[in-house]
Amino acid sequence: MKKTDYSKIADRYDKNEIRHRIPKDILIKELYTNNGNSLDVLDLACGTGNYIEKQIQYYRDYNIHWTGADLCKEMLQKAINKNLKAAFIHADAHNLPFEQETFDYVKVNCAIHHFEDKKKAVSEIARILRRNGVLSIFNICHDYMKKSWVYDYFPGSIAIDKERFLATDTLYHLFKNSGFHVTACVSVVIKEFPYDGLIKEVRNRDMSQLTLISEQEYQAGLDRLLLDSKEKEVYTGDFAFLDFAGKKT
């Protein structure tokens, strides 16, 4: 499985506006109430801390202890530099440095495909969650994307993602067999993507798919984007998202 070297993109990661479009995590409010108005939250594979930064804003008056963990020291340093009221820990998802039953809630945001041994990572998440604790995964859903601009302009990324992403039903059963009561929702969005936005995103090259293809394919895809943008203002395509929650039984 190919791995993205996030140390090489840490300096430009937050320049992508999409990285900051993070909605309020409504599961936190429900868990907070059920847990006696306190919560220990782990953002696993936290990157530059954008998820925690936004949730702190949304839940500023709540008694929540925030922790972020990431394998990439350079990304983690960006999170630390934001001076958030959170602990940021250098950690491998396959061998987490936390005691059993430390957290009430674990969030994995657009990252589970990076875990090389997903079964081991799931075992670790189950270990550190308290009884009735919740795991939440939000990610793109590779096997439901039929007309993605990424796969259209950079077709080499299809095979890369097929190797990195588990099929949705496989992921479901992995967590179910690890002691979670699972609910999963896949949503497919068909929309128009302005070419100027796509070109800006591709040039920033912070998407993991774009870091894993060859330089030749990257340039060829960018050239096609630039050419098509002269004839059309938007690309009509799809994006699929997986919203997954697992309650530890």
Side-chain angles (χ1 to χ4, degrees):
M1 184 181 98
K2 288 189 174 183
K3 290 186 176 183
T4 301
D5 185 352
Y6 275 96
S7 68
K8 295 181 178 180
I9 61 176
D11 285 340
R12 64 179 185 271
Y13 186 84
D14 280 351
K15 293 178 182 179
N16 187 338
E17 296 175 3
I18 293 175
R19 304 296 183 193
H20 306 280
R21 298 174 190 170
I22 301 171
K24 186 175 185 178
D25 191 334
I26 59 174
L27 281 176
I28 289 178
K29 185 174 182 180
E30 179 182 344
L31 281 168
Y32 186 83
T33 302
N34 294 339
N35 203 51
N37 295 336
S38 68
L39 215 59
D40 289 299
V41 177
L42 171 66
D43 180 14
L44 182 56
C46 66
T48 60
N50 291 327
Y51 168 82
I52 289 180
E53 182 178 27
K54 289 293 185 180
Q55 301 313 315
I56 287 176
Q57 294 172 12
Y58 296 135
Y59 292 103
R60 63 176 72 252
D61 297 323
Y62 285 63
N63 179 27
I64 299 176
H65 179 252
W66 305 93
T67 302
D70 202 276
L71 185 60
C72 177
K73 292 181 179 179
E74 289 79 5
M75 294 284 278
L76 206 59
Q77 189 59 52
K78 297 293 182 182
I80 293 170
N81 291 346
K82 292 177 181 178
N83 295 314
L84 304 174
K85 290 184 178 180
F88 288 101
I89 309 296
H90 181 244
D92 186 337
H94 305 91
N95 187 24
L96 293 169
F98 305 112
E99 298 292 332
Q100 290 186 356
E101 301 185 352
T102 299
F103 297 99
D104 304 295
Y105 186 55
V106 174
K107 184 74 174 185
V108 182
N109 202 38
C110 298
I112 195 166
H113 53 289
H114 293 302
F115 302 161
E116 190 169 14
D117 187 342
K118 294 174 179 60
K119 186 175 181 180
K120 175 62 175 173
V122 170
S123 175
E124 278 292 273
I125 293 170
R127 181 183 66 81
I128 65 172
L129 267 174
R130 295 179 179 132
R131 184 174 177 81
N132 295 321
V134 172
L135 162 72
S136 172
I137 295 172
F138 182 79
N139 215 345
I140 67 168
C141 195
H142 163 76
D143 46 344
Y144 281 78
M145 291 164 60
K146 306 301 180 185
K147 191 65 170 63
S148 161
W149 68 265
V150 180
Y151 297 153
D152 187 354
Y153 285 97
F154 306 95
S157 64
I158 298 174
I160 290 170
D161 278 359
K162 188 174 182 179
E163 184 180 13
R164 299 191 303 165
F165 285 81
L166 291 181
T168 307
D169 59 339
T170 303
L171 186 67
Y172 177 93
H173 287 292
L174 174 58
F175 280 95
K176 184 178 179 181
N177 295 336
S178 300
F180 287 89
H181 175 73
V182 180
T183 59
C185 176
V186 176
S187 57
V188 179
V189 178
I190 300 172
K191 60 177 288 186
E192 294 180 339
F193 298 83
Y195 271 104
D196 57 352
L198 297 185
I199 291 168
K200 184 178 179 181
E201 189 168 359
V202 169
R203 281 178 166 160
N204 198 54
R205 204 176 181 180
D206 61 295
M207 295 178 62
S208 64
Q209 292 98 331
L210 301 185
T211 69
L212 297 175
I213 58 176
S214 68
E215 290 296 323
Q216 182 179 7
E217 180 170 2
Y218 170 76
Q219 191 59 54
L222 177 57
D223 289 345
R224 279 185 57 213
L225 270 171
L226 292 169
L227 184 63
D228 288 351
S229 70
K230 294 178 180 179
E231 300 179 359
K232 298 176 288 185
E233 291 186 0
V234 298
Y235 175 91
T236 303
D238 68 19
F239 238 81
F241 299 96
L242 172 65
D243 204 346
F244 176 106
K247 185 174 184 180
K248 182 180 174 181
T249 57

